[in-house]
């Protein structure tokens, strides 16, 4: 008993010492930040609040963009994916700007960078925190090799309307599960040390209530009474912040009539005062100026006023801060102390990323793109994410000697199986079910039948029926293309699109057992065909390794 007490005393003492050390380190960092801010011009402070991007089609970096970096007018970049550009811009910032403040390079690295894991909704269906953490870790290892040190993930919007396109990115409907996954994602992206050059700063998004958009319509308003807000929608954000997420992104939507990007109650009282958040808040793309479209801001200047005073630190793409901070200060609508507060939050994260000591992309870090261990982890994640919804007479698993008719638009669609938000995924590395059947030298025939999921043509139905009649079992790879889910891709009808239901009805007339494999970015209604099939496997959009996963 005495030994236990001594051990407990030792642990508590050690924790106390670590807290003292961390407090001293924090105090030193804050002192450095204070010194930097004291040397900054107003223009340079405004620059730290600016998140800018380049087009992927840009062949040469614009001279004006480089000059803006040289003058300290940009704090961070998004979507700069040519490593030469990353290196050049960071060199200008560190060596040629007045105070040498480094840039942060950011990207939407959601469920994989090159090696693509199942969509987040699929990962949620695994009910496995380690799987989510692994997906984030592999994403960070691969993405950071391009200089990306800040990802706009995890998306933590509780979503309960399957018509909403962005349900694909969500952790689902349950706040407890979402909270567990939030912690896992943050730990995966960041490791236990944000200074690690293979770590990415996570960004908990979208704050708040984006998944509660009325009617499942993207960007729509959300009406959420306070107990529901606190007990459901805020929970995963609390978990992410407690896990160390240093940035938060505001949502496009209004919450009870007030756009999130200008909502002082949400950003200052709830997020900072109650949730003890000390990182920085970034707007979503143009969400500051979209307060005008909401009818909440009169013009861009008013939008800047609302966002600045609400506590929104960094403005993504739009330029209301650039254009109006000086005037707002002169008119007394914004105080310089508020500008300094926002700048301090941004610099703090740059220190946490160790960018002042190691600002440059680690060129020896290759990212191990598509490494065998990465592919194996993606495969394991897709297996755990798959959900068996029906298995009449235990038809699955099939014997390897079974003669199979492989049919459907998703059987050989390498890009589509990756799902939404996979800007950097490459279909050339995507292994489809058709390839997996081929590689396994299985006994099968293949009729794609429909060119894509929305195809309404029935001209190949006869060939599909013939293949079915000659087989022991029919496996239909159905669902929806990647473009049918994601931002601005809500659907009013979530049945299988195109002629897929008609195809299944035609195949059912052969009397042959049918296994339906659904690849989609949302739950799909199958009431019309559930009695026509013998087994249903929900695979979501499973990612790079969909083929081997589904074949196995």
């Amino acid at each position: 008993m005495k030994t236990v007490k001594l051990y407990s005393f030792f642990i508590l003492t050690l924790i106390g010492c670590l807290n003292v050390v961390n407090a001293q380190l924090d105090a030193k960092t804050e002192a450095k930040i204070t010194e930097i801010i004291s040397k900054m011009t107003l223009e340079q402070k405004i620059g730290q609040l600016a998140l800018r991007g380049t087009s992927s089609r840009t062949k040469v970096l614009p001279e004006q963009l480089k000059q803006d970096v040289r003058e300290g007018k940009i704090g961070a970049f998004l979507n700069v994916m040519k490593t030469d550009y990353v290196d050049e811009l960071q060199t200008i910032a560190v060596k040629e700007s007045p105070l040498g403040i480094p840039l942060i390079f950011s990207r939407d690295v959601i469920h994989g960078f090159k090696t693509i894991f199942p969509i987040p909704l699929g990962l949620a269906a695994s009910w496995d925190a380690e799987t989510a953490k692994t997906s984030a870790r592999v994403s960070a290892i691969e993405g950071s090799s391009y200089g990306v040190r800040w990802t706009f993930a995890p998306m933590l919007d509780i979503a309960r309307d399957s018509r909403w396109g962005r349900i694909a990115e969500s952790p689902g409907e349950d706040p407890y599960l979402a909270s567990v996954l939030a912690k896992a994602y943050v730990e995966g992206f960041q490791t236990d040390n944000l200074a690690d050059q293979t770590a990415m700063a996570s960004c908990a998004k979208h704050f708040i209530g984006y998944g509660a958009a009325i009617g499942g319509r993207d960007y729509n308003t959300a009406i959420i009474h306070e107990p529901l807000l606190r007990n459901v929608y805020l929970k995963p954000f609390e978990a992410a912040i407690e896990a160390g997420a240093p940035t938060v992104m505001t949502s496009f939507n209004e919450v009870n009539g007030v756009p999130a990007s200008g909502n002082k109650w949400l950003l200052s009282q709830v997020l900072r005062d109650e949730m003890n958040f000390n990182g920085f808040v970034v707007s979503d793309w143009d969400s500051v100026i979209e307060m005008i479209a909401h009818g909440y801001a009169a013009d861009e200047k008013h939008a800047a006023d609302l966002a600045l005073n609400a506590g929104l630190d960094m403005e993504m793409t739009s330029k209301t801060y650039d254009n109006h901070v000086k005037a707002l200060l002169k008119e007394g609508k914004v105080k310089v102390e508020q500008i300094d507060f926002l700048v301090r939050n941004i610099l703090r994260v740059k220190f946490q990323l160790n960018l002042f000591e190691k600002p440059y992309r680690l060129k020896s870090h290759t990212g191990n793109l598509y490494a065998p261990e990465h592919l194996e982890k993606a495969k394991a994640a897709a297996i755990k994410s798959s959900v068996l919804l029906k298995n009449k007479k235990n038809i699955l698993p099939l014997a390897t000697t079974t003669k199979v008719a492989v049919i459907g638009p998703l059987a050989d669609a390498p890009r589509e199986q990756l799902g939404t938000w996979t800007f950097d995924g490459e279909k050339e590395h995507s292994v489809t079910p058709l390839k997996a059947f081929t590689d396994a030298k299985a006994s099968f025939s293949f009729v794609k039948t429909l060119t894509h999921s929305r195809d309404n043509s029935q001209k190949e139905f006869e060939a599909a029926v013939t293949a079915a009649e000659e087989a022991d079992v029919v496996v239909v790879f159905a669902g929806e293309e990647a473009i049918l889910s994601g931002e601005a891709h809500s659907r009013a009808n979530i049945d299988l699109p195109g002629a897929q239901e008609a195809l299944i009805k035609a195949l059912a007339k052969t009397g042959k057992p049918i296994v339906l494999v659904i690849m989609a970015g949302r739950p799909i209604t199958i009431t019309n065909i559930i009695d026509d099939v013998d087994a249903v496997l929900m695979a979501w959009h499973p990612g790079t390794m969909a083929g081997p996963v589904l074949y196995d």
Side-chain angles (χ1 to χ4, degrees):
M1 188 68 180
K2 189 178 292 185
T3 303
V4 172
K5 287 182 178 178
L6 285 171
Y7 179 76
S8 300
F9 175 77
F10 173 75
I11 293 296
L12 291 171
T13 303
L14 181 61
I15 291 171
C17 290
L18 288 173
N19 288 337
V20 170
V21 171
N22 288 335
Q24 290 172 343
L25 291 173
D26 290 345
K28 286 183 178 179
T29 299
E30 295 301 325
K32 290 177 183 177
I33 294 172
T34 299
E35 183 181 359
I36 293 170
I37 292 174
S38 71
K39 296 176 181 178
M40 296 175 78
T41 65
L42 178 58
E43 288 78 7
Q44 290 159 10
K45 292 176 182 178
I46 297 170
Q48 286 302 304
L49 311 183
L51 174 57
R52 298 285 170 258
T54 63
S55 168
S56 58
R57 295 184 293 274
T58 299
K59 304 219 182 291
V60 180
L61 278 175
E63 285 302 318
Q64 185 57 56
L65 190 69
K66 291 192 280 189
Q67 186 58 29
D68 286 344
V69 174
R70 196 170 283 117
E71 295 175 8
K73 292 183 177 179
I74 298 176
F77 276 99
L78 77 164
N79 300 341
V80 180
M81 296 313 296
K82 292 184 179 178
T83 53
D84 289 348
Y85 291 177
V86 171
D87 296 341
E88 183 178 2
L89 290 169
Q90 191 69 294
T91 300
I92 293 171
V94 172
K95 293 189 175 179
E96 300 180 38
S97 72
L99 296 173
I101 300 173
L103 300 160
I104 309 177
F105 291 90
S106 59
R107 182 72 160 169
D108 282 284
V109 182
I110 307 299
H111 55 109
F113 182 69
K114 294 296 185 181
T115 303
I116 304 300
F117 284 72
I119 57 171
L121 188 61
L123 290 171
S126 76
W127 292 82
D128 190 81
E130 281 302 311
T131 296
K133 184 176 179 178
T134 297
S135 75
R137 187 73 204 108
V138 171
S139 300
I141 289 170
E142 293 192 349
S144 60
S145 68
Y146 277 62
V148 178
R149 294 296 308 284
W150 178 26
T151 177
F152 301 129
M155 192 265 235
L156 301 175
D157 295 303
I158 298 298
R160 295 174 171 178
D161 193 325
S162 299
R163 296 171 297 180
W164 188 48
R166 298 195 77 166
I167 196 171
E169 301 166 65
S170 86
E173 64 185 2
D174 181 72
Y176 176 73
L177 175 61
S179 298
V180 171
L181 295 175
K183 180 177 183 289
Y185 282 127
V186 171
E187 291 176 347
F189 283 125
Q190 299 185 178
T191 72
D192 58 356
N193 179 18
L194 260 181
D196 185 327
Q197 287 180 285
T198 70
M200 285 181 178
S202 58
C203 183
K205 69 180 187 184
H206 304 84
F207 198 80
I208 187 90
Y210 190 26
I214 292 174
R217 295 174 177 173
D218 216 352
Y219 316 124
N220 210 350
T221 193
I223 307 298
I224 312 171
H225 59 71
E226 193 169 338
L228 186 64
L229 181 75
R230 293 187 179 279
N231 293 324
V232 175
Y233 292 95
L234 284 174
K235 287 298 180 184
F237 288 88
E238 291 172 353
I241 290 166
E242 188 174 329
T247 69
V248 167
M249 183 186 292
T250 56
S251 53
F252 285 117
N253 57 284
E254 303 169 13
V255 179
N256 303 331
V258 182
S261 294
N263 194 319
K264 189 172 183 177
W265 178 74
L266 280 174
L267 300 186
S268 292
Q269 181 179 320
V270 176
L271 182 60
R272 293 203 180 274
D273 296 345
E274 297 180 18
M275 296 169 67
N276 298 314
F277 178 67
N278 71 345
F280 73 80
V281 179
V282 62
S283 74
D284 207 335
W285 188 287
D286 278 356
S287 70
V288 174
I289 59 173
E290 286 184 1
M291 287 195 283
I292 302 168
H294 281 295
Y296 192 73
D299 51 30
E300 287 194 6
K301 184 179 178 182
H302 187 208
D305 179 0
L306 290 167
L308 286 163
N309 283 305
L312 191 144
D313 304 272
M314 186 178 283
E315 182 179 13
M316 185 190 292
T317 67
S318 56
K319 297 184 177 181
T320 70
Y321 286 10
D322 279 10
N323 297 335
H324 301 291
V325 165
K326 288 182 180 179
L328 291 168
L329 283 168
K330 190 175 181 180
E331 294 168 15
K333 293 180 178 178
V334 176
K335 294 180 179 179
V336 70
E337 290 82 4
Q338 178 68 358
I339 303 300
D340 289 353
F341 172 72
L342 304 181
V343 173
R344 178 178 292 276
N345 296 330
I346 293 166
L347 294 180
R348 185 181 297 117
V349 174
K350 292 186 177 186
F351 271 102
Q352 290 171 348
L353 286 164
N354 200 31
L355 292 175
F356 283 90
E357 293 293 326
K358 294 182 178 180
Y360 301 112
R361 179 177 62 89
L362 186 62
K363 294 181 181 179
S364 62
H365 169 44
T366 65
N368 297 322
L369 309 178
Y370 300 113
E373 60 267 30
H374 291 181
L375 295 174
E376 196 57 40
K377 288 172 180 176
K379 181 181 177 182
I383 289 171
K384 288 187 176 182
S385 297
S386 299
V387 182
L388 186 63
L389 298 173
K390 181 178 180 179
N391 195 19
K392 186 178 178 181
K393 295 182 180 179
N394 293 322
I395 187 173
L396 294 178
L398 302 176
T400 54
T401 55
T402 304
K403 186 176 182 182
V404 179
V406 175
I407 292 170
L410 275 298
D412 192 34
R415 175 64 190 85
E416 308 311 330
Q417 71 184 39
L418 298 181
T420 185
W421 290 105
T422 52
F423 298 134
D424 302 293
E426 298 163 311
K427 66 179 183 179
E428 296 79 12
H429 291 269
S430 192
V431 188
T432 67
L434 178 64
K435 188 175 189 315
F437 270 84
T438 303
D439 290 347
K441 296 182 172 57
S443 176
F444 78 99
S445 60
F446 171 59
V447 183
K448 188 170 186 177
T449 317
L450 302 170
T451 58
H452 57 283
S453 71
R454 289 171 286 172
D455 188 356
N456 280 301
S457 172
Q458 298 189 14
K459 64 181 181 181
E460 293 294 318
F461 275 27
E462 186 175 339
V465 167
T466 298
E469 289 173 338
E470 295 174 353
D472 299 321
V473 174
V474 181
V475 179
V476 180
F477 291 92
E480 53 180 20
E481 298 145 78
I483 196 65
L484 292 186
S485 58
E487 186 173 344
H489 292 101
S490 301
R491 291 181 60 197
N493 183 314
I494 56 173
D495 293 344
L496 288 171
Q500 293 182 93
E501 285 192 358
L503 172 62
I504 290 167
K505 292 286 185 184
L507 294 170
K509 291 178 182 178
T510 66
K512 294 299 175 79
I514 297 175
V515 175
L516 172 62
V517 178
I518 302 174
M519 286 194 261
R522 57 164 56 79
I524 296 292
T525 49
I526 53 175
T527 307
N528 298 334
I529 52 170
I530 189 64
D531 293 332
D532 298 305
V533 297
D534 298 272
V536 181
L537 182 67
M538 185 64 187
W540 314 101
H541 285 136
T544 302
M545 297 299 287
V549 166
L550 295 172
Y551 179 82
D552 284 358

